[in-house]
């Protein structure tokens, strides 16, 4: 039996978290020099763009923003019985010697981030890769941690955490629900 969804972050909380993350990125990196943002499809793309705009508002400087599709780098690709849908990766700038901020919506097992790092390395040799996530829900299977976290949201393995964003779902909220496993 599916339990009702519980909203754990609303639009204002998401916005405050992204503002804080933008300031933390700027503080850790001492400004925007050699800084680039790369969002993981799909939720990470929208969050990276929002961070780009916040950094522009704070610093008055543009930070390049790219899009990364990790479909072919996933370690569960062969386990799925369906044909993967590969979408466009768009990184129209060099990653060489850049401080890459990899952006995703939810950090869970760490496997998506591992795949994303493998994909990034195919595009160049960054000086560093830092991870920004809106939600860290725990349950890591790989030794990966986020440098910038909007909200730590400990969860049970059978719970689903969804980041709904205006750009893809029509509203900004983070919800958690029991998937009934």
């Amino acid at each position: 039996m599916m339990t009702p969804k519980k909203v754990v972050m609303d639009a204002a909380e998401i916005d405050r978290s992204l503002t804080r993350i933008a300031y933390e990125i700027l503080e850790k990196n001492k400004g925007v020099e050699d800084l680039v943002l790369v969002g993981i499809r799909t939720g990470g793309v929208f969050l990276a763009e929002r961070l780009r705009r916040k950094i522009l508002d704070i610093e008055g400087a543009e930070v390049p923003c790219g899009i990364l599709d990790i479909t072919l780098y996933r370690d569960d690709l062969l386990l799925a019985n369906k044909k993967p849908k590969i979408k466009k990766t768009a990184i129209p700038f060099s990653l060489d010697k850049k401080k890459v901020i990899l952006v995703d919506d939810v950090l869970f097992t760490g496997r998506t981030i591992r795949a994303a790092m493998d994909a990034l390395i195919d595009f160049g040799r960054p000086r560093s890769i830092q991870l920004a996530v809106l939600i860290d829900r725990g349950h890591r299977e790989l030794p990966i941690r986020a440098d910038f976290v909007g909200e730590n949201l400990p969860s049970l393995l059978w719970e689903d955490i969804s980041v709904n964003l205006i750009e893809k779902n029509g509203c900004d909220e983070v919800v958690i629900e029991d998937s009934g496993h």
Side-chain angles (χ1 to χ4, degrees):
M1 185 168 108
M2 192 80 135
T3 58
K5 71 180 183 179
K6 177 184 175 193
V7 176
V8 291
M9 284 180 88
D10 62 18
E13 291 167 315
I14 291 171
D15 187 61
R16 276 193 301 275
S17 290
L18 291 174
T19 299
R20 181 177 36 79
I21 290 170
Y23 276 106
E24 288 174 358
I25 288 169
L26 292 168
E27 183 177 344
K28 180 174 182 169
N29 292 285
K30 298 175 178 40
V32 297
E33 186 176 349
D34 294 325
L35 195 68
V36 299
L37 296 163
V38 177
I40 300 173
R41 283 202 181 270
T42 55
V45 172
F46 304 124
L47 295 173
E49 177 57 30
R50 289 185 189 192
L51 286 170
R52 184 197 65 75
R53 288 192 308 263
K54 287 190 178 295
I55 289 170
L56 176 62
D57 289 346
I58 296 164
E59 289 287 301
E62 282 283 350
V63 174
C65 194
I67 298 170
L68 184 65
D69 181 80
I70 61 159
T71 304
L72 294 178
Y73 292 86
R74 295 185 61 90
D75 63 2
D76 61 355
L77 191 61
L78 297 175
L79 300 176
N81 289 332
K82 54 187 176 184
K83 188 175 179 182
K85 292 181 181 167
I86 301 167
K87 296 188 176 148
K88 185 178 178 185
T89 288
I91 302 177
F93 46 83
S94 173
L95 295 180
D96 293 335
K97 299 180 182 174
K98 299 294 187 207
K99 294 179 269 186
V100 176
I101 308 299
L102 187 61
V103 182
D104 203 7
D105 51 2
V106 178
L107 175 57
F108 185 28
T109 63
R111 292 183 179 277
T112 296
I113 304 308
R114 186 222 38 95
M117 289 190 297
D118 287 348
L120 280 176
I121 299 303
D122 282 350
F123 285 91
R125 191 170 192 284
R127 179 185 317 161
S128 66
I129 299 173
Q130 299 164 42
L131 178 60
V133 297
L134 184 61
I135 301 295
D136 183 345
R137 67 174 289 185
H139 302 290
R140 225 65 87 238
E141 295 174 4
L142 299 173
I144 290 175
R145 65 162 180 77
D147 299 278
F148 312 102
V149 177
E151 184 79 30
N152 286 294
L153 189 59
S155 61
L156 301 172
L157 281 172
W158 54 84
E159 290 177 317
D160 288 328
I161 295 178
S162 300
V163 175
N164 298 318
L165 300 172
I166 288 174
E167 297 91 337
K168 69 176 184 174
N169 304 99
C171 69
D172 280 348
E173 66 181 5
V174 177
V175 297
I176 187 167
E177 57 190 329
D178 189 325
S179 62
H181 288 98

